[in-house]
Amino acid sequence: MNEWGEETGRNPLKIITENCAPKYTLEIESGISEKDIYVEEGLYFIAYEDIETTYYAYSVNWEFIQLPGITGNEYESFKESDASLQPSSSAGAIYVNDNMNHIKVSGAIYSHSRYASLDIENTIDNKGNSPFIYKIRYEKRHEGRIETEEKIVFLNPSSSGINRKRVEQIPAGSKVTIQQVYTGTSYNLNSSEEVTINEILADGPIAKASFNNSYKDTKIISAAGILDFGLDEDGNFGYSEEITDNNLLMECRNRTIHCTYSLNEPEDEPKFVRLKAFLPSEHGITFSDSYGKWLLDSDGWWNYVDILNNGETTQGLHLLIDFGDIDGDDPNIDFNVGVVVELAPVLYDESGNPYAD
């Protein structure tokens, strides 16, 4: 255990392949294929080389086998006829036939997409008080059909000049469309709102999508939050969050995101508040409001009907998300939801009626 175990961090495949020349070599073709060879008695280490192509990586598990050494019921459980031979559920399978030294190697070659990265670059002439929201769409052909996936990300500028946001885990070979769906209250968009990369690759330079925005003077500020949903290392469904302003609270309970905003800073003046959600197109959303405090306008913004004063918190706006079949065989649960809140100072007309600029 100490020589091979995790305590030492040594990899058996690396140790053996670096110190031992192979006695027998077989080529197993893509997919599922079989090779039948005669070998001498002994303990054998069966190693499969990983393969990478432009778009995919292929791998098969390594294993040990002792020849001879399987007798009676043990042997019967391994013996298979050529007609009925199927690979086991493990990545590689070894079958021993009647003469005990004649083995059949059957490799089930498992493949997965290679992944690429993307840098979103935002050039601004002056730092404002609002983030940018992007919707990224991947399109990739798989088994004769086009598969699509969307992701919401935000970029919160830290200074003037070029600000970057790196997006990971994009399937290599995808056509990628990046759209600036929220420009922010502090900026004008000077470039195209959409950039398309016809094919993104895992090898070579990281792909870039560039946008240009110029600062505009405004007293309206905004905050953004992203909830990323998916399975954790233990296979449990959950989410992580990334928020630009701690006064924005986003909590998910019973597949519903509960959103509130608070004015807590001593210098905060009364504000009008409105909220908008962004999420992938394949997921539906239903809004609800237990206290009748939020009204929907024609642009998809939910406006809070009361003026929010210092020390107050809005009533919750509830976002019921269509997660699909989480418990199904192929759940579509790896996605995220973005929320933007805008805060406008309260102004008054000549008659003393409040309005937002």
PDB file of all heavy atoms in Angstrom, residues 292-322:
ATOM      1  N   GLY A 292     -47.318  42.126  -2.977  1.00  0.00           N
ATOM      2  CA  GLY A 292     -47.772  43.062  -3.989  1.00  0.00           C
ATOM      3  C   GLY A 292     -46.918  44.309  -4.103  1.00  0.00           C
ATOM      4  O   GLY A 292     -47.422  45.392  -4.437  1.00  0.00           O
ATOM      5  N   LYS A 293     -45.609  44.153  -3.854  1.00  0.00           N
ATOM      6  CA  LYS A 293     -44.705  45.310  -3.851  1.00  0.00           C
ATOM      7  C   LYS A 293     -43.894  45.457  -5.143  1.00  0.00           C
ATOM      8  O   LYS A 293     -43.175  46.440  -5.292  1.00  0.00           O
ATOM      9  CB  LYS A 293     -43.733  45.203  -2.674  1.00  0.00           C
ATOM     10  CG  LYS A 293     -44.389  45.317  -1.308  1.00  0.00           C
ATOM     11  CD  LYS A 293     -44.958  46.710  -1.064  1.00  0.00           C
ATOM     12  CE  LYS A 293     -45.453  46.863   0.354  1.00  0.00           C
ATOM     13  NZ  LYS A 293     -45.962  48.234   0.618  1.00  0.00           N
ATOM     14  N   TRP A 294     -43.984  44.499  -6.048  1.00  0.00           N
ATOM     15  CA  TRP A 294     -43.196  44.539  -7.270  1.00  0.00           C
ATOM     16  C   TRP A 294     -44.125  44.546  -8.483  1.00  0.00           C
ATOM     17  O   TRP A 294     -45.051  43.747  -8.571  1.00  0.00           O
ATOM     18  CB  TRP A 294     -42.259  43.330  -7.366  1.00  0.00           C
ATOM     19  CG  TRP A 294     -41.203  43.275  -6.298  1.00  0.00           C
ATOM     20  CD1 TRP A 294     -41.306  42.706  -5.068  1.00  0.00           C
ATOM     21  CD2 TRP A 294     -39.878  43.816  -6.379  1.00  0.00           C
ATOM     22  NE1 TRP A 294     -40.140  42.842  -4.366  1.00  0.00           N
ATOM     23  CE2 TRP A 294     -39.241  43.520  -5.149  1.00  0.00           C
ATOM     24  CE3 TRP A 294     -39.169  44.508  -7.350  1.00  0.00           C
ATOM     25  CZ2 TRP A 294     -37.923  43.894  -4.870  1.00  0.00           C
ATOM     26  CZ3 TRP A 294     -37.856  44.881  -7.080  1.00  0.00           C
ATOM     27  CH2 TRP A 294     -37.248  44.583  -5.864  1.00  0.00           C
ATOM     28  N   LEU A 295     -43.859  45.456  -9.442  1.00  0.00           N
ATOM     29  CA  LEU A 295     -44.668  45.550 -10.653  1.00  0.00           C
ATOM     30  C   LEU A 295     -43.766  45.372 -11.877  1.00  0.00           C
ATOM     31  O   LEU A 295     -42.682  45.974 -11.954  1.00  0.00           O
ATOM     32  CB  LEU A 295     -45.387  46.905 -10.734  1.00  0.00           C
ATOM     33  CG  LEU A 295     -46.446  47.188  -9.654  1.00  0.00           C
ATOM     34  CD1 LEU A 295     -47.023  48.590  -9.843  1.00  0.00           C
ATOM     35  CD2 LEU A 295     -47.548  46.138  -9.701  1.00  0.00           C
ATOM     36  N   LEU A 296     -44.220  44.577 -12.839  1.00  0.00           N
ATOM     37  CA  LEU A 296     -43.450  44.288 -14.054  1.00  0.00           C
ATOM     38  C   LEU A 296     -43.722  45.333 -15.117  1.00  0.00           C
ATOM     39  O   LEU A 296     -44.883  45.665 -15.413  1.00  0.00           O
ATOM     40  CB  LEU A 296     -43.832  42.897 -14.582  1.00  0.00           C
ATOM     41  CG  LEU A 296     -43.142  42.428 -15.868  1.00  0.00           C
ATOM     42  CD1 LEU A 296     -41.635  42.258 -15.651  1.00  0.00           C
ATOM     43  CD2 LEU A 296     -43.764  41.115 -16.350  1.00  0.00           C
ATOM     44  N   ASP A 297     -42.636  45.869 -15.757  1.00  0.00           N
ATOM     45  CA  ASP A 297     -42.829  46.800 -16.868  1.00  0.00           C
ATOM     46  C   ASP A 297     -42.595  46.083 -18.193  1.00  0.00           C
ATOM     47  O   ASP A 297     -42.287  44.885 -18.234  1.00  0.00           O
ATOM     48  CB  ASP A 297     -41.940  48.034 -16.732  1.00  0.00           C
ATOM     49  CG  ASP A 297     -40.454  47.741 -16.848  1.00  0.00           C
ATOM     50  OD1 ASP A 297     -40.090  46.679 -17.408  1.00  0.00           O
ATOM     51  OD2 ASP A 297     -39.641  48.571 -16.396  1.00  0.00           O
ATOM     52  N   SER A 298     -42.714  46.807 -19.291  1.00  0.00           N
ATOM     53  CA  SER A 298     -42.651  46.197 -20.627  1.00  0.00           C
ATOM     54  C   SER A 298     -41.244  45.750 -21.009  1.00  0.00           C
ATOM     55  O   SER A 298     -41.083  44.974 -21.958  1.00  0.00           O
ATOM     56  CB  SER A 298     -43.164  47.188 -21.677  1.00  0.00           C
ATOM     57  OG  SER A 298     -42.393  48.390 -21.653  1.00  0.00           O
ATOM     58  N   ASP A 299     -40.204  46.210 -20.315  1.00  0.00           N
ATOM     59  CA  ASP A 299     -38.819  45.845 -20.632  1.00  0.00           C
ATOM     60  C   ASP A 299     -38.305  44.676 -19.790  1.00  0.00           C
ATOM     61  O   ASP A 299     -37.117  44.357 -19.833  1.00  0.00           O
ATOM     62  CB  ASP A 299     -37.893  47.050 -20.427  1.00  0.00           C
ATOM     63  CG  ASP A 299     -38.184  48.167 -21.420  1.00  0.00           C
ATOM     64  OD1 ASP A 299     -38.578  47.843 -22.553  1.00  0.00           O
ATOM     65  OD2 ASP A 299     -38.029  49.339 -21.039  1.00  0.00           O
ATOM     66  N   GLY A 300     -39.173  44.042 -19.015  1.00  0.00           N
ATOM     67  CA  GLY A 300     -38.757  42.909 -18.204  1.00  0.00           C
ATOM     68  C   GLY A 300     -38.204  43.286 -16.848  1.00  0.00           C
ATOM     69  O   GLY A 300     -37.695  42.412 -16.137  1.00  0.00           O
ATOM     70  N   TRP A 301     -38.289  44.547 -16.474  1.00  0.00           N
ATOM     71  CA  TRP A 301     -37.830  44.985 -15.154  1.00  0.00           C
ATOM     72  C   TRP A 301     -38.973  44.906 -14.153  1.00  0.00           C
ATOM     73  O   TRP A 301     -40.118  45.241 -14.462  1.00  0.00           O
ATOM     74  CB  TRP A 301     -37.312  46.422 -15.200  1.00  0.00           C
ATOM     75  CG  TRP A 301     -35.982  46.576 -15.862  1.00  0.00           C
ATOM     76  CD1 TRP A 301     -35.749  46.845 -17.182  1.00  0.00           C
ATOM     77  CD2 TRP A 301     -34.709  46.483 -15.232  1.00  0.00           C
ATOM     78  NE1 TRP A 301     -34.402  46.922 -17.427  1.00  0.00           N
ATOM     79  CE2 TRP A 301     -33.723  46.708 -16.242  1.00  0.00           C
ATOM     80  CE3 TRP A 301     -34.285  46.238 -13.937  1.00  0.00           C
ATOM     81  CZ2 TRP A 301     -32.367  46.679 -15.968  1.00  0.00           C
ATOM     82  CZ3 TRP A 301     -32.926  46.222 -13.665  1.00  0.00           C
ATOM     83  CH2 TRP A 301     -31.986  46.443 -14.670  1.00  0.00           C
ATOM     84  N   TRP A 302     -38.635  44.477 -12.932  1.00  0.00           N
ATOM     85  CA  TRP A 302     -39.580  44.488 -11.830  1.00  0.00           C
ATOM     86  C   TRP A 302     -39.280  45.702 -10.964  1.00  0.00           C
ATOM     87  O   TRP A 302     -38.193  45.832 -10.401  1.00  0.00           O
ATOM     88  CB  TRP A 302     -39.469  43.213 -11.017  1.00  0.00           C
ATOM     89  CG  TRP A 302     -40.059  42.026 -11.733  1.00  0.00           C
ATOM     90  CD1 TRP A 302     -39.443  41.205 -12.628  1.00  0.00           C
ATOM     91  CD2 TRP A 302     -41.395  41.555 -11.623  1.00  0.00           C
ATOM     92  NE1 TRP A 302     -40.300  40.247 -13.091  1.00  0.00           N
ATOM     93  CE2 TRP A 302     -41.518  40.426 -12.490  1.00  0.00           C
ATOM     94  CE3 TRP A 302     -42.518  41.943 -10.889  1.00  0.00           C
ATOM     95  CZ2 TRP A 302     -42.708  39.716 -12.630  1.00  0.00           C
ATOM     96  CZ3 TRP A 302     -43.701  41.235 -11.022  1.00  0.00           C
ATOM     97  CH2 TRP A 302     -43.788  40.132 -11.875  1.00  0.00           C
ATOM     98  N   ASN A 303     -40.249  46.625 -10.866  1.00  0.00           N
ATOM     99  CA  ASN A 303     -40.075  47.879 -10.138  1.00  0.00           C
ATOM    100  C   ASN A 303     -40.688  47.767  -8.740  1.00  0.00           C
ATOM    101  O   ASN A 303     -41.853  47.353  -8.589  1.00  0.00           O
ATOM    102  CB  ASN A 303     -40.725  49.030 -10.901  1.00  0.00           C
ATOM    103  CG  ASN A 303     -40.068  49.270 -12.245  1.00  0.00           C
ATOM    104  OD1 ASN A 303     -39.067  49.977 -12.345  1.00  0.00           O
ATOM    105  ND2 ASN A 303     -40.620  48.676 -13.299  1.00  0.00           N
ATOM    106  N   TYR A 304     -39.910  48.150  -7.736  1.00  0.00           N
ATOM    107  CA  TYR A 304     -40.420  48.152  -6.365  1.00  0.00           C
ATOM    108  C   TYR A 304     -41.285  49.393  -6.183  1.00  0.00           C
ATOM    109  O   TYR A 304     -40.855  50.513  -6.480  1.00  0.00           O
ATOM    110  CB  TYR A 304     -39.251  48.153  -5.384  1.00  0.00           C
ATOM    111  CG  TYR A 304     -39.629  47.765  -3.978  1.00  0.00           C
ATOM    112  CD1 TYR A 304     -40.149  46.504  -3.710  1.00  0.00           C
ATOM    113  CD2 TYR A 304     -39.465  48.655  -2.921  1.00  0.00           C
ATOM    114  CE1 TYR A 304     -40.495  46.133  -2.418  1.00  0.00           C
ATOM    115  CE2 TYR A 304     -39.801  48.297  -1.628  1.00  0.00           C
ATOM    116  CZ  TYR A 304     -40.328  47.029  -1.381  1.00  0.00           C
ATOM    117  OH  TYR A 304     -40.669  46.668  -0.099  1.00  0.00           O
ATOM    118  N   VAL A 305     -42.516  49.214  -5.688  1.00  0.00           N
ATOM    119  CA  VAL A 305     -43.494  50.323  -5.697  1.00  0.00           C
ATOM    120  C   VAL A 305     -43.214  51.345  -4.608  1.00  0.00           C
ATOM    121  O   VAL A 305     -43.604  52.516  -4.742  1.00  0.00           O
ATOM    122  CB  VAL A 305     -44.935  49.773  -5.560  1.00  0.00           C
ATOM    123  CG1 VAL A 305     -45.279  48.895  -6.756  1.00  0.00           C
ATOM    124  CG2 VAL A 305     -45.117  48.995  -4.267  1.00  0.00           C
ATOM    125  N   ASP A 306     -42.536  50.947  -3.533  1.00  0.00           N
ATOM    126  CA  ASP A 306     -42.252  51.883  -2.450  1.00  0.00           C
ATOM    127  C   ASP A 306     -40.865  52.488  -2.611  1.00  0.00           C
ATOM    128  O   ASP A 306     -39.953  51.845  -3.147  1.00  0.00           O
ATOM    129  CB  ASP A 306     -42.315  51.178  -1.088  1.00  0.00           C
ATOM    130  CG  ASP A 306     -43.712  50.729  -0.721  1.00  0.00           C
ATOM    131  OD1 ASP A 306     -44.673  51.247  -1.328  1.00  0.00           O
ATOM    132  OD2 ASP A 306     -43.837  49.844   0.151  1.00  0.00           O
ATOM    133  N   ILE A 307     -40.703  53.699  -2.142  1.00  0.00           N
ATOM    134  CA  ILE A 307     -39.371  54.279  -2.028  1.00  0.00           C
ATOM    135  C   ILE A 307     -38.637  53.559  -0.898  1.00  0.00           C
ATOM    136  O   ILE A 307     -39.182  53.351   0.190  1.00  0.00           O
ATOM    137  CB  ILE A 307     -39.457  55.793  -1.748  1.00  0.00           C
ATOM    138  CG1 ILE A 307     -40.063  56.513  -2.960  1.00  0.00           C
ATOM    139  CG2 ILE A 307     -38.082  56.364  -1.406  1.00  0.00           C
ATOM    140  CD1 ILE A 307     -40.349  57.986  -2.711  1.00  0.00           C
ATOM    141  N   LEU A 308     -37.398  53.158  -1.171  1.00  0.00           N
ATOM    142  CA  LEU A 308     -36.609  52.446  -0.163  1.00  0.00           C
ATOM    143  C   LEU A 308     -35.766  53.453   0.607  1.00  0.00           C
ATOM    144  O   LEU A 308     -34.895  54.125   0.034  1.00  0.00           O
ATOM    145  CB  LEU A 308     -35.715  51.403  -0.832  1.00  0.00           C
ATOM    146  CG  LEU A 308     -35.053  50.391   0.102  1.00  0.00           C
ATOM    147  CD1 LEU A 308     -36.099  49.494   0.762  1.00  0.00           C
ATOM    148  CD2 LEU A 308     -34.040  49.531  -0.659  1.00  0.00           C
ATOM    149  N   ASN A 309     -36.006  53.546   1.899  1.00  0.00           N
ATOM    150  CA  ASN A 309     -35.290  54.492   2.743  1.00  0.00           C
ATOM    151  C   ASN A 309     -34.113  53.811   3.435  1.00  0.00           C
ATOM    152  O   ASN A 309     -34.033  52.577   3.505  1.00  0.00           O
ATOM    153  CB  ASN A 309     -36.243  55.082   3.792  1.00  0.00           C
ATOM    154  CG  ASN A 309     -37.334  55.921   3.164  1.00  0.00           C
ATOM    155  OD1 ASN A 309     -37.053  56.920   2.490  1.00  0.00           O
ATOM    156  ND2 ASN A 309     -38.590  55.512   3.358  1.00  0.00           N
ATOM    157  N   ASN A 310     -33.226  54.651   3.980  1.00  0.00           N
ATOM    158  CA  ASN A 310     -32.047  54.129   4.664  1.00  0.00           C
ATOM    159  C   ASN A 310     -32.473  53.218   5.818  1.00  0.00           C
ATOM    160  O   ASN A 310     -33.363  53.550   6.594  1.00  0.00           O
ATOM    161  CB  ASN A 310     -31.209  55.294   5.202  1.00  0.00           C
ATOM    162  CG  ASN A 310     -29.826  54.845   5.619  1.00  0.00           C
ATOM    163  OD1 ASN A 310     -29.672  53.993   6.480  1.00  0.00           O
ATOM    164  ND2 ASN A 310     -28.815  55.426   5.004  1.00  0.00           N
ATOM    165  N   GLY A 311     -31.804  52.040   5.891  1.00  0.00           N
ATOM    166  CA  GLY A 311     -32.120  51.080   6.946  1.00  0.00           C
ATOM    167  C   GLY A 311     -33.232  50.119   6.608  1.00  0.00           C
ATOM    168  O   GLY A 311     -33.535  49.221   7.408  1.00  0.00           O
ATOM    169  N   GLU A 312     -33.840  50.258   5.432  1.00  0.00           N
ATOM    170  CA  GLU A 312     -34.943  49.385   5.043  1.00  0.00           C
ATOM    171  C   GLU A 312     -34.475  48.308   4.064  1.00  0.00           C
ATOM    172  O   GLU A 312     -33.446  48.453   3.397  1.00  0.00           O
ATOM    173  CB  GLU A 312     -36.073  50.200   4.407  1.00  0.00           C
ATOM    174  CG  GLU A 312     -36.734  51.173   5.360  1.00  0.00           C
ATOM    175  CD  GLU A 312     -37.849  51.980   4.701  1.00  0.00           C
ATOM    176  OE1 GLU A 312     -37.893  52.017   3.445  1.00  0.00           O
ATOM    177  OE2 GLU A 312     -38.665  52.572   5.433  1.00  0.00           O
ATOM    178  N   THR A 313     -35.285  47.252   3.971  1.00  0.00           N
ATOM    179  CA  THR A 313     -35.060  46.154   3.044  1.00  0.00           C
ATOM    180  C   THR A 313     -36.327  45.923   2.237  1.00  0.00           C
ATOM    181  O   THR A 313     -37.439  45.974   2.785  1.00  0.00           O
ATOM    182  CB  THR A 313     -34.687  44.858   3.796  1.00  0.00           C
ATOM    183  OG1 THR A 313     -33.485  45.065   4.532  1.00  0.00           O
ATOM    184  CG2 THR A 313     -34.486  43.697   2.824  1.00  0.00           C
ATOM    185  N   THR A 314     -36.178  45.688   0.961  1.00  0.00           N
ATOM    186  CA  THR A 314     -37.348  45.411   0.132  1.00  0.00           C
ATOM    187  C   THR A 314     -38.019  44.105   0.566  1.00  0.00           C
ATOM    188  O   THR A 314     -37.387  43.226   1.155  1.00  0.00           O
ATOM    189  CB  THR A 314     -36.976  45.285  -1.352  1.00  0.00           C
ATOM    190  OG1 THR A 314     -36.151  44.110  -1.514  1.00  0.00           O
ATOM    191  CG2 THR A 314     -36.233  46.509  -1.850  1.00  0.00           C
ATOM    192  N   GLN A 315     -39.283  43.978   0.275  1.00  0.00           N
ATOM    193  CA  GLN A 315     -39.929  42.678   0.367  1.00  0.00           C
ATOM    194  C   GLN A 315     -39.343  41.784  -0.730  1.00  0.00           C
ATOM    195  O   GLN A 315     -38.794  42.262  -1.711  1.00  0.00           O
ATOM    196  CB  GLN A 315     -41.442  42.807   0.203  1.00  0.00           C
ATOM    197  CG  GLN A 315     -42.118  43.607   1.298  1.00  0.00           C
ATOM    198  CD  GLN A 315     -42.074  42.919   2.654  1.00  0.00           C
ATOM    199  OE1 GLN A 315     -41.870  41.696   2.733  1.00  0.00           O
ATOM    200  NE2 GLN A 315     -42.218  43.690   3.725  1.00  0.00           N
ATOM    201  N   GLY A 316     -39.450  40.498  -0.546  1.00  0.00           N
ATOM    202  CA  GLY A 316     -38.816  39.581  -1.468  1.00  0.00           C
ATOM    203  C   GLY A 316     -39.541  39.439  -2.792  1.00  0.00           C
ATOM    204  O   GLY A 316     -40.777  39.420  -2.849  1.00  0.00           O
ATOM    205  N   LEU A 317     -38.751  39.349  -3.866  1.00  0.00           N
ATOM    206  CA  LEU A 317     -39.266  38.941  -5.177  1.00  0.00           C
ATOM    207  C   LEU A 317     -38.784  37.515  -5.390  1.00  0.00           C
ATOM    208  O   LEU A 317     -37.591  37.224  -5.274  1.00  0.00           O
ATOM    209  CB  LEU A 317     -38.747  39.857  -6.280  1.00  0.00           C
ATOM    210  CG  LEU A 317     -39.251  39.547  -7.694  1.00  0.00           C
ATOM    211  CD1 LEU A 317     -40.759  39.690  -7.793  1.00  0.00           C
ATOM    212  CD2 LEU A 317     -38.575  40.457  -8.727  1.00  0.00           C
ATOM    213  N   HIS A 318     -39.710  36.615  -5.701  1.00  0.00           N
ATOM    214  CA  HIS A 318     -39.410  35.195  -5.754  1.00  0.00           C
ATOM    215  C   HIS A 318     -39.328  34.731  -7.204  1.00  0.00           C
ATOM    216  O   HIS A 318     -40.243  34.965  -7.995  1.00  0.00           O
ATOM    217  CB  HIS A 318     -40.480  34.396  -5.001  1.00  0.00           C
ATOM    218  CG  HIS A 318     -40.812  34.966  -3.653  1.00  0.00           C
ATOM    219  ND1 HIS A 318     -39.853  35.164  -2.680  1.00  0.00           N
ATOM    220  CD2 HIS A 318     -41.990  35.408  -3.132  1.00  0.00           C
ATOM    221  CE1 HIS A 318     -40.419  35.683  -1.607  1.00  0.00           C
ATOM    222  NE2 HIS A 318     -41.716  35.845  -1.856  1.00  0.00           N
ATOM    223  N   LEU A 319     -38.225  34.063  -7.541  1.00  0.00           N
ATOM    224  CA  LEU A 319     -37.980  33.569  -8.894  1.00  0.00           C
ATOM    225  C   LEU A 319     -38.055  32.049  -8.872  1.00  0.00           C
ATOM    226  O   LEU A 319     -37.134  31.374  -8.391  1.00  0.00           O
ATOM    227  CB  LEU A 319     -36.604  34.012  -9.404  1.00  0.00           C
ATOM    228  CG  LEU A 319     -36.372  35.478  -9.779  1.00  0.00           C
ATOM    229  CD1 LEU A 319     -36.615  36.429  -8.614  1.00  0.00           C
ATOM    230  CD2 LEU A 319     -34.955  35.671 -10.304  1.00  0.00           C
ATOM    231  N   LEU A 320     -39.163  31.503  -9.345  1.00  0.00           N
ATOM    232  CA  LEU A 320     -39.329  30.055  -9.415  1.00  0.00           C
ATOM    233  C   LEU A 320     -38.729  29.570 -10.724  1.00  0.00           C
ATOM    234  O   LEU A 320     -39.204  29.897 -11.805  1.00  0.00           O
ATOM    235  CB  LEU A 320     -40.809  29.674  -9.341  1.00  0.00           C
ATOM    236  CG  LEU A 320     -41.134  28.175  -9.479  1.00  0.00           C
ATOM    237  CD1 LEU A 320     -40.456  27.373  -8.377  1.00  0.00           C
ATOM    238  CD2 LEU A 320     -42.644  27.950  -9.474  1.00  0.00           C
ATOM    239  N   ILE A 321     -37.629  28.782 -10.628  1.00  0.00           N
ATOM    240  CA  ILE A 321     -36.869  28.354 -11.798  1.00  0.00           C
ATOM    241  C   ILE A 321     -37.313  26.955 -12.225  1.00  0.00           C
ATOM    242  O   ILE A 321     -37.504  26.065 -11.400  1.00  0.00           O
ATOM    243  CB  ILE A 321     -35.354  28.331 -11.488  1.00  0.00           C
ATOM    244  CG1 ILE A 321     -34.910  29.682 -10.903  1.00  0.00           C
ATOM    245  CG2 ILE A 321     -34.551  28.003 -12.742  1.00  0.00           C
ATOM    246  CD1 ILE A 321     -35.091  30.847 -11.816  1.00  0.00           C
ATOM    247  N   ASP A 322     -37.454  26.780 -13.536  1.00  0.00           N
ATOM    248  CA  ASP A 322     -37.716  25.447 -14.087  1.00  0.00           C
ATOM    249  C   ASP A 322     -36.378  24.726 -14.208  1.00  0.00           C
ATOM    250  O   ASP A 322     -35.636  24.914 -15.157  1.00  0.00           O
ATOM    251  CB  ASP A 322     -38.401  25.555 -15.451  1.00  0.00           C
ATOM    252  CG  ASP A 322     -38.645  24.199 -16.097  1.00  0.00           C
ATOM    253  OD1 ASP A 322     -38.473  23.177 -15.397  1.00  0.00           O
ATOM    254  OD2 ASP A 322     -38.996  24.164 -17.286  1.00  0.00           O
TER     255      ASP A 322
END
